[in-house]
Amino acid sequence: MIFVSVKMAFSQALSGKVDYQKSQQPAAIIELPYNPDLLEGALKDHFSKKGVKASSSKGFIVFKNVQLSAADATWSDLYFKIDRKSRKENDISVVNLVVTKPNENPATRSSEDNAGIDQAKNFLNEISPAVDAYSLDLSIKGQDDEVKKAEKKLNNLVDDAKDLEKRKKSAEDKIQENLQDQEKQKAELEKQRQLLEVLNSKKKT
């Protein structure tokens, strides 16, 4: 259960508190118009480009030994808690960011230690473009997959049409051959009937 000590303004990071192992930790908090899975993926993508892999701890996504911005002279561990705002608001998330010193256990910190909060708020306020870019990349990839699926289906239909044309040509050739064979057989039948008539005429005489 996340406890927020302030009422947040949409898309503006504020200071608050978040539960971490039964301790109340100072956190930068923001509401963002994305679902939690997208935000988690965007954060992992953002930090992976900086060579940092995500880990997890007590329900938090953790990125260790990173700088919150290029101008930041200090290194920190970042603990993100991302929750859906409500059951009815699937595409709005509440993001909590706790900043600690490298390898510091958040649960052992003072609940009044606000170090890094301002940088954390700035980071959350400025993360939207990176999330938008990640979301766009996902959309492009998804649409590219749809194009490839549609293209594959079209190619299969074209191949099927070629196969059907071959079958049609073969069937038409067989029909033509059959018609020719019918004519020959008609001639053969007429010939055999005439022979039968000749033999029958001999019998009458």
Side-chain angles (χ1 to χ4, degrees), residues 14-203:
L14 298 174
S15 300
K17 299 277 187 179
V18 63
D19 287 334
Y20 183 89
Q21 285 189 290
K22 299 180 181 180
S23 67
Q24 289 286 299
Q25 290 300 316
I29 307 170
I30 194 170
E31 287 184 12
L32 292 173
Y34 312 98
N35 67 64
D37 290 339
L38 179 65
L39 275 170
E40 181 175 339
L43 286 171
K44 289 179 178 179
D45 180 69
H46 175 77
F47 285 106
S48 70
K49 291 175 180 176
K50 301 177 182 296
V52 180
K53 291 185 177 181
S55 58
S56 61
S57 175
K58 311 300 179 182
F60 284 71
I61 305 166
V62 183
F63 300 93
K64 292 197 169 185
N65 208 31
V66 300
Q67 292 172 294
L68 278 167
S69 70
D72 193 353
T74 61
W75 298 83
S76 307
D77 290 348
L78 311 181
Y79 290 74
F80 288 91
K81 179 73 173 177
I82 306 172
D83 293 299
R84 183 176 61 182
K85 183 180 178 182
S86 69
R87 291 182 179 180
K88 294 182 179 180
E89 297 171 294
N90 294 326
D91 292 327
I92 299 178
S93 297
V94 179
V95 182
N96 305 266
L97 172 55
V98 176
V99 181
T100 72
K101 296 175 183 178
N103 298 317
E104 181 181 21
N105 184 351
T108 63
R109 294 194 319 161
S110 166
S111 62
E112 304 305 317
D113 187 350
N114 290 312
I117 287 295
D118 288 339
Q119 296 94 319
K121 288 193 291 186
N122 288 336
F123 176 86
L124 292 179
N125 285 330
E126 296 171 1
I127 196 63
S128 285
V131 180
D132 287 338
Y134 176 78
S135 178
L136 179 59
D137 285 343
L138 286 183
S139 296
I140 290 172
K141 183 180 182 302
Q143 191 58 39
D144 184 58
D145 289 342
E146 290 299 319
V147 169
K148 288 177 179 177
K149 283 167 60 177
E151 186 176 35
K152 182 178 180 181
K153 186 172 182 178
L154 175 60
N155 289 336
N156 287 339
L157 289 171
V158 170
D159 289 340
D160 288 345
K162 290 178 180 178
D163 185 56
L164 290 170
E165 283 292 338
K166 289 179 181 179
R167 293 182 184 182
K168 178 183 176 183
K169 180 64 168 59
S170 177
E172 288 175 344
D173 289 344
K174 289 180 179 180
I175 289 171
Q176 190 61 35
E177 182 180 349
N178 181 275
L179 290 173
Q180 292 173 354
D181 289 343
Q182 286 184 47
E183 292 302 320
K184 291 178 181 179
Q185 194 60 32
K186 286 178 182 178
E188 178 65 20
L189 175 59
E190 184 60 28
K191 176 183 175 181
Q192 297 302 328
R193 280 176 174 170
Q194 289 177 1
L195 288 174
L196 178 59
E197 287 178 4
V198 170
L199 291 173
N200 282 330
S201 65
K202 289 180 180 181
K203 179 179 179 181

